[in-house]
Amino acid sequence: TLVGKQVTVELKNDLCIQGTLVSVDQFLNIKLDGVKAIEEERYPHMMSVTSCFIRGSVVRYVQIPPEAVDKPLLQDAARREAQQQQQEKAEPRPQAQAAA
């Protein structure tokens, strides 16, 4: 789980917010504590914000710490997907029958 880890959330309006992940839901709604804007000079109004709720529909990208990535799990998923695609290519597709 990434709860309690530092993440950076890039929003669709180009604002990047860094903070400690408190929670996230299936809609990508995110709660952060210890918030700081990456470009404080561009967003001075964010300097007084310490925690925030980010609606999932405005999230462009979430950066997580590299050590939080489960590499074996990702490699296994990629391997399974490649095998499935190869099997689908090898299987003959049924042809539609023409009306007599």
Side-chain angles (χ1 to χ4, degrees):
T1 180
L2 292 173
V3 173
K5 301 265 195 283
Q6 281 278 66
V7 297
T8 302
V9 181
E10 182 180 333
L11 306 182
K12 291 180 180 177
N13 67 355
D14 294 329
L15 172 61
C16 289
I17 301 173
Q18 189 174 50
T20 304
L21 184 65
V22 175
S23 67
V24 63
D25 66 14
Q26 71 269 24
F27 302 108
L28 203 59
N29 295 320
I30 299 170
K31 289 182 187 175
L32 296 177
D33 274 344
V35 170
K36 131 181 150 169
I38 299 299
E39 299 178 65
E40 288 182 341
E41 63 282 347
R42 190 171 167 197
Y43 303 99
H45 58 282
M46 291 296 295
M47 291 177 72
S48 62
V49 177
T50 58
S51 64
C52 69
F53 175 86
I54 303 168
R55 184 181 166 108
S57 63
V58 301
V59 173
R60 178 182 294 151
Y61 190 75
V62 178
Q63 297 176 23
I64 62 175
E67 63 273 6
V69 177
D70 188 348
K71 292 177 187 164
L73 180 66
L74 286 176
Q75 290 169 345
D76 187 48
R79 196 173 10 261
R80 286 184 193 178
E81 184 177 349
Q83 288 174 345
Q84 183 180 5
Q85 288 176 353
Q86 286 178 346
Q87 287 175 353
E88 289 173 357
K89 285 182 181 179
E91 292 174 4
R93 294 184 181 168
Q95 295 180 357
Q97 295 179 354

